[in-house]
Structure formats: structure tokens, C-alpha cells
């Protein structure tokens, strides 16, 4: 332990030495030797730094500021060893001087206070340039220092104590509520339920794999007619999950006990003549940011991998009341970012050589949804619930060739779900078809009393929409097969372009998402838990940058967002439009506006750098059908019309048979022969860049 008196003497002696060193350099420069003129500027800075060090020696400022002086010495005398002395421990955070009288030994109290103010003003003026606010004079900066110390910081601390001691944004939501409704139509209040098509003569397939790839309506008909029980169906999907998870790394935990209990209850209800609807007895999976009591909700992070939340998420309660059976909590990237989680990385079922990263743009939380897409396309559950803040539904659905709906913002309640951004987060279904998406959406939509952003959105019945009365635009990047098919079905297809002047769309989304995320994980960052995060270039880097976004500029970003919404609304002169679902500008724009999009598989292409010889691995091709907010039914109706005459959405990935000449071991062989501690050989070689940052 270093005493206050010794600390003061050490600091004063060090500062005096630095002053002598700087003065000597200035004296040498004054001899007008031509080569020394080049060091003049650096010497002046060193002199100033030493003077500043002298002042700080009288106060509690830590000795790390000596690095400032040392850096200038290195510039003036490159290669010369710099002795920084012994660092004084400051873990206690206590004042290093024994008394006020001890401080006065080196100068008068007034001089000390004046010097301290000078230092604070100088340091703050340097810092303000990082906020693009270095236009204040010294007098104004002194006022800012006083106001921050006496007013701001106490309020910061009080508010954090009230609402920020628990991570994840599960409690105390912001009262600043985003409403995506355009308000240009008079609509009935309350949700109008859909009328699903009835199926008849559905027979139970002989093979379990064929059962696993049936649609929700087909499985529901088998259960309703008692050709299969919910308990049988649940065991089939649990078995497939356990078999393929060895290769895909897609499951955080199995909810087997709960699933069998819920399945038995569904069968008992049927025996009593009670049928709860098309999801009665249907197994499904939840993204692991959605809370279910008694089971882990890890958020994909090693920091929270043992977390059990005694919260029933609103969406889980909706599905349970509809008779659906939860079989697994599915992987999310760590804190819903990218494809890295505490258990490893997931794979693309259409090309097992690739990691299942969401896209080349790497938007927040893409892998978590990617896992839902993997699970869907490999027939491991009939449907799954994912989320999107910035591409986490649209990107993975496109990558894995799955039909998925990102609904209008506010359609599905988010109570009990880890929050990234309260004005961007959305929950939506991953399914085998647009029809299945409509069924799941109809079940989970509605007003959540604890989610201020959720609404009872009136949607027309997508099964009753007359698409021949619709005018649908198509962008330059639209898949023209979709355009031709819809035109053949009587839809008025016209060229279209979104017109808007806001040129910072991507930056607005980054500001909004990162600042909101930091508010929900403030304690996580302050306590240093971000140091244990699985990928330091992801959330840790982004949230440190977000700490430097002033409140005024966050508000300016929301004002720019409002301008964007108004311009999109004015240019949206069609009923819907077709366009690329993974273009980063459109992903950002769609999420900022809150508009729905359904991702539709439209075909396949060969993988890049295929092996010599035959391989069944493929790259999926998809497109997006976009609609205005509160018009999800139009996007669904158009997608159902397209899928009624195509079969891209019915294809199965080659995870059991890559091809006779493919150099990668067939996953089926790998799965069957893995030991308890083995991993898949030949790890994926394809990687993708992280989220792009934009000014």
C-alpha cells in the first residue's frame, strides 16, 4: 500500500523530471541547428504535456496520463527507451493525499483549483471532437463540466439503478413507442381470423421422413382424423432433432418432458371432442431468446448459458393455448448476433461445407434465425418462431430456401423476449409454405398487454384475396420468374422504384439498433462481461462505439427515420412489390419503416467451386414480396398464388446424400458414427464478412 504522502512526492518528482527533460529539448532547438528545427513542434507538445503532468501530480488523476508525455518523447527521440516508473495502484479509488493540508504543501488552494479546472476544460474540449461538438469556448466548456458533475451524472446513476441493473431489456420498456401504422385507411377494430382451406383424403405416409416434410395443414388433418397422435408425431420430430443436431449444431436444449406432456394433453382433448385449431398437437421450436419457464434461455451467450427465466413469453402462451407442442429451444447467435454461439457454429443444410452465417452483410441476430431455417428445411420441426431486428428472418430464410414472414412491426407481442431494439424487434414464423406462415401468424398475432408497441392489427383474410385486382410492382433486382408467374395468374405487374431522398438509411438503423441494444446491456458492458463475448469484433466493438453517440444525434436519427417513412409512404403507389430480400439497403429500410416481407424460394444454382464430379449441394435462390405496413395479407396471398404452381418450397436438402463424388463425408455417415465427444470432420471453409457499417 502506498501512503498519500509518498504518492504525492513520487508524482511531483516524476513531473519535475519530465519538465527538465522537455526544457532541455527546447533549449537545444533554440540553438538553431537546422536538423533540430524539425523537432520544434514535438518539443512544444512535450513541454505542454510535462506541464500538464505537473498539475495532475497535485490531484487524484491516475498516473496513466504519463503515457501522453511518453508518446511525444518517442516521436522526438525515436528508439530511446522511455522509463514510465512504477504505476501506483488505484484499486481502492480513494483520494491519494492524507489531508487538505497535504495538498496545500505544493501550492495555494486557489492555484490548485484553477489548474484543475484548466485540465478538465482542456480534456473535455479534446473529447468533444469525437462527438462533432468541438465548437464551444472555454467559458462554455467550464459550464458544461459543472453541469455534468452536479446534474447529469447523479441522474445517470439514479436511472441506471432503477432500470438497468438487469440485462436483456425484459423489464421496464421505454415509453417512446414506435407505431408503424400509416393511418390512411379506416379499418375495423380487432383481429379478423382467417378461414383456412380444408383438406380431405390425407393419408399417413409409410416413412417417417415423408411425415416430417408434410405441411401444417396436412399434419393437422392426420391428427384431427386420428391417423397419427400428437405423441407419435412429437417423438418423430424429437428423434430427427437429436439425429441431425450432431451435424447442424442447432439445438440449445430439448424440451422433451414438456413436449410429451403437451402432446398427451392435445390427444386427451381430441378424445374429449375438443379441437383447438390447425396447430393442435403440432410440434415446433422457439428461438432461444424467447423465455420458457424451467428451461434455459441462454441468448446464445456463454455469459448467460445457465440462465433460467421464470417468464412465460407472450408468443409461447399463444402457441400453447392453440395446442402446439414445444420440442426444443433453438440456437441463437450470441446475444442474437451472427452465427457464433457458446456451443459452436451452425451449418447450412443445402451446403454442409458452409457455416450458416446469415448473409454477407452480417446483420444483428442472423444465425439465430438461420438455425430456424435449417431446422425447417431439414424437416426437424413443422414450424419455428424466429425474430428480426435487421435481417434475422429475411437473410437466413433466403440462405436456406425457406418460406418465412417478417410481419408488420407490432403484429406479434414480445413480452419475455430478449430485446435488441424496442422499435425494430419483430417475431415471425419460419415454415414450409406461405400457407403455413399464414396459419402461424393468425395464431400468434394480437395485442400483448405488456408490449406497448403491439397492436390488434386488422388483416384481411389472405385466403380470400382476389389477386387479379392487385397492382404489384417489381424492382430491377426482382426474380423475374415470380413476376411472370403472378402475371399469368392475372396480377397487374408493373415496373416500380422506391423514391426517397434520405441517404443515411443504413446509418440510421445502426444508430437505432446499437444505442437501444446498449441500453438493454448497459450493466453487461460496465461490468466487463463483454470481454468474455464469443466474437469481440461483433457486439463488444459496436456497443463501445454506441457509447459515443450523443442523445441529440440519436434523436436526429429518429427524425431522419420519420422523414424516410413519409417519403416511402408517398412513393408506395402499388399494392405490393417484388424485390431482392437480402439487399442490405432494403433490409434496413424495411425494418425502419416496419413493413412486412415474405421470403419465397424460387430455385437453385450450383455452389461456387464445386468438387469435380457430381454434388447435390446447392445455393438457394429466393425473392421478397413486400407490402405496406398492416397489409401482410397481400404479401401472403401473392406468395400462396406463386407457390400454388411451383414446387421450389417443397425441395429437401441433400444432408443425407451429398452425391457420389463429393469430397465431403456424407453427413448421414458422420451422424451415425460420431462418438459422444466427436465433432464433424472437415469444418466449413466458407466465411462471410460481418455487418457493414455506414456513415
Amino acid at each position: 500500500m502506498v501512503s498519500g504522502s509518498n504518492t504525492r512526492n513520487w508524482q511531483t518528482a516524476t513531473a519535475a523530471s519530465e519538465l527538465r527533460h522537455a526544457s532541455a529539448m527546447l533549449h537545444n532547438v533554440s540553438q538553431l541547428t537546422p536538423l533540430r528545427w524539425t523537432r520544434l513542434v514535438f518539443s512544444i507538445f512535450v513541454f505542454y504535456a510535462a506541464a500538464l503532468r505537473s498539475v495532475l501530480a497535485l490531484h487524484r488523476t491516475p498516473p496513466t496520463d504519463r503515457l501522453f508525455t511518453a508518446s511525444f518523447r518517442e516521436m522526438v527521440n525515436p528508439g530511446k527507451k522511455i522509463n514510465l516508473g512504477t504505476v501506483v495502484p488505484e484499486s481502492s479509488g480513494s483520494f491519494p493525499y492524507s489531508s487538505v493540508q497535504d495538498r496545500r504543501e505544493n501550492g495555494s488552494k486557489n492555484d490548485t483549483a484553477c489548474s484543475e479546472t484548466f485540465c478538465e476544460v482542456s480534456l473535455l474540449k479534446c473529447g468533444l471532437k469525437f462527438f462533432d461538438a468541438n465548437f464551444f469556448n472555454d467559458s462554455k466548456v467550464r459550464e458544461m463540466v459543472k453541469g455534468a458533475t452536479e446534474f447529469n451524472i447523479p441522474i445517470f446513476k439514479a436511472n441506471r439503478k432503477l432500470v438497468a441493473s438487469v440485462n436483456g431489456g425484459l423489464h421496464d420498456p421505454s415509453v417512446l413507442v414506435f407505431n408503424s401504422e400509416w393511418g390512411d385507411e379506416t379499418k375495423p377494430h380487432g383481429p379478423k381470423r382467417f378461414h383456412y382451406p380444408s383438406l380431405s383424403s390425407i393419408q399417413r405416409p409409410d416413412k417417417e421422413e415423408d411425415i416430417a416434410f408434410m405441411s401444417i395443414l396436412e399434419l393437422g388433418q392426420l391428427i384431427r382424423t386420428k391417423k397419427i397422435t400428437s405423441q407419435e408425431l412429437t417423438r418423430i420430430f424429437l428423434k430427427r432433432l437429436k439425429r441431425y443436431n450432431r451435424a447442424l449444431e442447432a439445438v440449445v436444449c430439448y424440451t422433451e418432458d414438456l413436449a410429451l406432456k403437451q402432446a398427451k394433453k392435445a390427444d386427451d382433448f381430441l378424445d374429449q371432442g375438443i379441437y383447438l385449431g390447425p396447430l393442435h398437437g403440432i410440434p415446433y421450436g422457439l428461438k432461444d431468446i424467447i423465455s420458457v419457464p424451467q428451461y434455459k434461455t441462454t441468448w446464445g451467450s456463454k455469459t448467460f448459458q445457465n440462465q433460467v427465466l421464470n417468464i412465460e413469453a407472450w408468443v409461447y402462451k399463444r402457441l400453447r393455448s392453440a395446442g402446439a407442442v414445444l420440442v426444443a429451444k433453438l440456437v441463437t447467435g450470441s446475444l442474437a448476433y451472427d452465427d457464433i454461439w457458446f456451443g459452436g457454429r451452425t451449418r447450412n443444410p443445402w451446403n454442409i461445407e458452409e457455416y450458416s452465417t446469415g448473409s454477407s452483410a452480417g446483420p444483428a441476430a442472423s444465425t439465430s434465425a438461420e438455425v430456424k431455417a435449417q431446422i425447417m428445411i431439414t424437416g426437424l420441426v413443422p414450424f419455428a418462431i424466429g425474430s428480426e431486428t435487421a435481417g434475422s428472418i429475411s437473410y437466413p430464410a433466403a440462405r436456406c430456401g425457406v418460406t418465412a414472414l417478417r410481419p408488420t412491426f407490432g403484429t406479434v407481442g414480445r413480452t419475455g423476449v430478449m430485446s435488441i431494439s424496442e422499435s425494430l424487434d419483430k417475431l415471425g414464423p419460419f415454415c414450409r409454405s406461405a400457407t403455413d406462415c399464414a396459419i402461424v401468424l393468425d395464431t400468434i398475432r394480437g395485442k400483448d398487454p405488456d408490449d406497448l408497441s403491439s397492436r390488434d392489427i386488422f388483416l384481411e383474410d389472405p385466403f380470400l384475396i382476389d389477386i387479379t385486382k392487385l397492382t404489384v410492382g417489381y424492382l430491377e433486382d426482382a426474380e423475374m420468374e415470380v413476376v411472370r408467374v403472378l402475371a399469368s395468374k392475372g396480377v397487374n405487374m408493373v415496373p416500380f422504384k422506391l423514391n426517397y431522398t434520405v441517404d443515411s438509411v443504413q446509418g440510421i438503423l445502426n444508430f437505432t439498433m446499437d444505442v437501444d441494444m446498449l441500453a438493454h446491456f448497459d450493466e453487461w458492458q460496465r461490468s466487463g462481461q463483454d470481454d468474455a463475448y464469443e466474437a469481440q469484433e461483433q457486439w463488444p466493438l459496436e456497443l463501445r462505439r454506441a457509447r459515443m453517440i450523443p442523445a441529440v444525434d440519436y434523436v436526429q436519427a429518429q427524425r431522419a427515420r420519420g422523414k424516410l417513412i413519409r417519403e416511402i409512404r408517398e412513393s408506395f403507389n402499388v399494392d405490393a412489390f417484388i424485390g431482392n430480400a437480402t439487399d442490405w439497403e432494403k433490409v434496413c429500410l424495411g425494418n425502419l419503416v416496419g413493413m412486412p416481407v415474405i421470403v419465397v424460394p424460387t430455385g437453385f444454382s450450383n455452389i461456387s467451386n464445386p468438387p469435380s464430379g457430381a454434388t447435390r449441394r446447392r445455393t438457394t435462390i429466393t425473392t421478397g414480396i413486400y407490402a405496406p405496413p398492416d397489409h401482410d395479407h397481400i404479401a401472403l396471398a401473392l406468395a400462396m398464388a406463386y407457390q400454388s404452381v411451383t414446387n421450389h418450397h417443397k425441395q429437401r436438402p441433400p444432408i443425407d446424400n451429398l452425391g457420389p463424388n463429393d469430397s465431403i463425408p456424407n453427413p448421414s455417415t458422420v451422424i451415425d458414427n460420431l462418438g459422444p465427444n466427436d465433432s464433424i470432420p472437415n469444418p466449413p471453409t466458407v466465411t462471410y464478412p460481418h455487418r457493414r457499417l455506414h456513415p
Side-chain angles (χ1 to χ4, degrees):
M1 190 71 178
V2 181
S3 70
S5 178
N6 288 339
T7 299
R8 174 178 53 78
N9 292 336
W10 170 81
Q11 290 177 324
T12 303
T14 302
S17 175
E18 290 169 347
L19 278 170
R20 287 193 297 270
H21 181 87
S23 298
M25 285 192 297
L26 285 174
H27 175 73
N28 290 336
V29 171
S30 67
Q31 295 177 4
L32 302 179
T33 302
L35 292 177
R36 287 174 176 164
W37 275 110
T38 60
R39 296 180 177 178
L40 177 60
V41 174
F42 298 118
S43 298
I44 292 173
F45 274 106
V46 170
F47 187 86
Y48 168 76
L52 179 61
R53 182 68 185 84
S54 243
V55 173
L56 295 178
L58 302 175
H59 304 285
R60 56 187 295 184
T61 306
T64 51
D65 62 298
R66 291 163 52 226
L67 293 172
F68 180 54
T69 302
S71 65
F72 281 108
R73 281 191 191 174
E74 176 64 23
M75 284 189 291
V76 176
N77 293 306
K80 182 177 180 180
K81 184 176 180 181
I82 307 298
N83 181 16
L84 296 180
T86 303
V87 176
V88 178
E90 295 189 298
S91 58
S92 65
S94 61
F95 199 81
Y97 305 108
S98 58
S99 66
V100 174
Q101 183 63 35
D102 191 33
R103 294 179 60 199
R104 291 176 176 173
E105 291 177 5
N106 290 301
S108 70
K109 182 177 180 180
N110 290 338
D111 288 344
T112 299
C114 179
S115 299
E116 186 176 55
T117 302
F118 170 78
C119 293
E120 289 176 335
V121 168
S122 298
L123 292 172
L124 183 56
K125 289 186 74 173
C126 289
L128 285 171
K129 68 181 182 180
F130 297 105
F131 298 91
D132 194 27
N134 54 337
F135 50 81
F136 296 102
N137 61 32
D138 288 2
S139 175
K140 292 177 181 178
V141 172
R142 282 193 292 271
E143 293 173 352
M144 294 165 69
V145 170
K146 185 174 186 294
T149 302
E150 298 178 358
F151 185 77
N152 294 7
I153 293 177
I155 295 176
F156 294 163
K157 293 180 177 179
N159 289 341
R160 285 200 303 270
K161 184 177 179 180
L162 286 171
V163 301
S165 60
V166 178
N167 295 302
L170 296 172
H171 311 283
D172 303 303
S174 171
V175 297
L176 303 177
V177 178
F178 173 59
N179 186 344
S180 61
E181 184 179 15
W182 285 357
D184 54 353
E185 299 177 24
T186 301
K187 301 176 182 176
H189 294 289
K192 176 184 177 182
R193 295 301 165 193
F194 304 159
H195 296 85
Y196 316 121
S198 60
L199 301 179
S200 59
S201 303
I202 299 297
Q203 299 300 317
R204 174 175 174 166
D206 294 331
K207 296 180 180 179
E208 288 186 354
E209 179 170 335
D210 294 332
I211 294 174
F213 281 94
M214 297 180 79
S215 70
I216 289 175
L217 282 180
E218 291 169 338
L219 291 173
Q221 185 66 11
L222 290 181
I223 290 175
R224 189 174 189 178
T225 57
K226 298 187 178 181
K227 294 176 181 176
I228 194 171
T229 66
S230 177
Q231 294 174 81
E232 287 181 277
L233 194 61
T234 297
R235 288 190 175 93
I236 288 173
F237 283 109
L238 280 169
K239 184 167 71 173
R240 290 181 64 81
L241 280 166
K242 292 176 181 179
R243 172 180 168 81
Y244 288 100
N245 187 55
R246 305 285 297 281
L248 297 178
E249 297 185 31
V251 178
V252 173
C253 68
Y254 302 98
T255 56
E256 186 166 358
D257 292 342
L258 175 65
L260 293 174
K261 180 180 177 181
Q262 291 179 340
K264 184 179 185 305
K265 185 176 181 180
D267 292 336
D268 290 344
F269 273 176
L270 274 183
D271 291 340
Q272 299 166 24
I274 301 172
Y275 181 66
L276 299 176
L279 296 185
H280 187 122
I282 304 295
Y284 73 100
L286 287 177
K287 179 178 178 179
D288 194 37
I289 63 170
I290 302 172
S291 303
V292 177
Q294 301 179 20
Y295 288 93
K296 292 181 180 180
T297 302
T298 72
W299 302 339
S301 168
K302 67 178 69 172
T303 304
F304 304 99
Q305 62 181 302
N306 295 315
Q307 174 177 254
V308 177
L309 299 172
N310 189 28
I311 301 173
E312 276 193 321
W314 189 83
V315 67
Y316 167 67
K317 290 192 287 187
R318 296 286 285 189
L319 290 166
R320 186 186 60 196
S321 66
V325 175
L326 178 65
V327 292
K329 299 289 293 297
L330 306 178
V331 164
T332 172
S334 187
L335 301 185
Y337 192 128
D338 211 359
D339 65 355
I340 301 174
W341 62 293
F342 68 85
R345 299 184 79 173
T346 51
R347 294 170 180 256
N348 179 359
W350 276 105
N351 184 1
I352 199 69
E353 189 181 24
E354 295 180 346
Y355 283 126
S356 295
T357 191
S359 76
S360 59
S366 62
T367 301
S368 57
E370 181 80 14
V371 171
K372 313 306 176 297
Q374 285 183 324
I375 293 291
M376 289 304 311
I377 198 65
T378 48
L380 306 189
V381 290
F383 74 95
I385 303 298
S387 70
E388 172 155 329
T389 305
S392 300
I393 289 176
S394 51
Y395 275 102
R399 169 63 59 81
C400 290
V402 172
T403 305
L405 174 69
R406 182 190 76 203
T408 295
F409 176 83
T411 302
V412 183
R414 303 165 302 179
T415 297
V417 180
M418 190 204 93
S419 178
I420 292 179
S421 171
E422 291 170 24
S423 71
L424 293 171
D425 297 343
K426 296 160 288 292
L427 299 176
F430 287 79
C431 300
R432 304 204 195 294
S433 67
T435 297
D436 285 357
C437 283
I439 292 169
V440 176
L441 178 68
D442 196 32
T443 300
I444 63 177
R445 67 191 176 107
K447 174 64 179 175
D448 174 357
D450 296 318
D451 181 353
L452 300 179
S453 296
S454 69
R455 298 184 285 128
D456 269 329
I457 299 175
F458 177 81
L459 297 177
E460 294 184 32
D461 191 334
F463 297 102
L464 301 178
I465 296 292
D466 183 356
I467 62 172
T468 64
K469 295 181 179 180
L470 300 177
T471 297
V472 176
Y474 56 91
L475 304 180
E476 291 182 352
D477 59 6
E479 284 296 321
M480 294 308 295
E481 185 203 50
V482 180
V483 175
R484 290 190 292 270
V485 167
L486 291 179
S488 70
K489 302 276 287 184
V491 179
N492 181 30
M493 304 298 299
V494 297
F496 179 69
K497 182 179 180 181
L498 282 172
N499 295 311
Y500 54 94
T501 63
V502 176
D503 59 2
S504 56
V505 172
Q506 299 164 27
I508 294 170
L509 183 128
N510 281 325
F511 267 33
T512 304
M513 176 175 61
D514 290 351
V515 171
D516 291 356
M517 177 67 174
L518 181 56
H520 299 143
F521 284 88
D522 187 15
E523 190 274 337
W524 176 76
Q525 186 187 72
R526 288 178 180 275
S527 64
Q529 293 179 76
D530 59 339
D531 291 337
Y533 188 81
E534 288 74 5
Q536 286 296 304
E537 71 278 10
Q538 296 179 0
W539 277 133
L541 181 65
E542 290 201 26
L543 297 190
R544 290 165 196 150
R545 186 185 70 244
R547 186 70 70 176
M548 301 292 289
I549 299 174
V552 62
D553 289 301
Y554 176 86
V555 173
Q556 303 295 30
Q558 302 317 303
R559 296 177 67 195
R561 180 182 183 180
K563 180 178 177 64
L564 172 68
I565 292 171
R566 289 189 295 273
E567 292 181 348
I568 293 298
R569 177 180 174 180
E570 290 170 0
S571 69
F572 211 120
N573 55 8
V574 291
D575 295 301
F577 69 85
I578 314 295
N580 189 318
T582 59
D583 174 74
W584 181 231
E585 176 84 358
K586 282 194 280 293
V587 168
C588 294
L589 183 149
N591 280 287
L592 289 171
V593 173
M595 69 171 66
V597 62
I598 186 166
V599 179
V600 180
T602 61
F604 301 90
S605 64
N606 293 329
I607 63 171
S608 58
N609 302 316
S612 57
T615 179
R616 298 180 66 234
R617 291 183 284 143
R618 293 289 182 268
T619 297
T620 58
I621 302 173
T622 58
T623 200
I625 303 177
Y626 299 79
D630 299 358
H631 288 72
D632 308 52
H633 52 279
I634 292 180
L636 286 165
L638 292 168
M640 288 190 289
Y642 172 75
Q643 291 183 339
S644 69
V645 293
T646 59
N647 66 355
H648 304 301
H649 61 291
K650 296 181 180 180
Q651 302 305 305
R652 304 179 188 182
I655 192 166
D656 279 317
N657 182 12
L658 301 181
N661 299 314
D662 203 315
S663 59
I664 298 177
N666 279 329
S668 60
T669 303
V670 172
I671 292 166
D672 289 336
N673 291 288
L674 279 181
N677 299 314
D678 286 341
S679 59
I680 298 290
N682 295 333
T685 58
V686 181
T687 57
Y688 298 84
H690 298 289
R691 172 159 52 220
R692 290 178 289 174
L693 304 178
H694 300 270

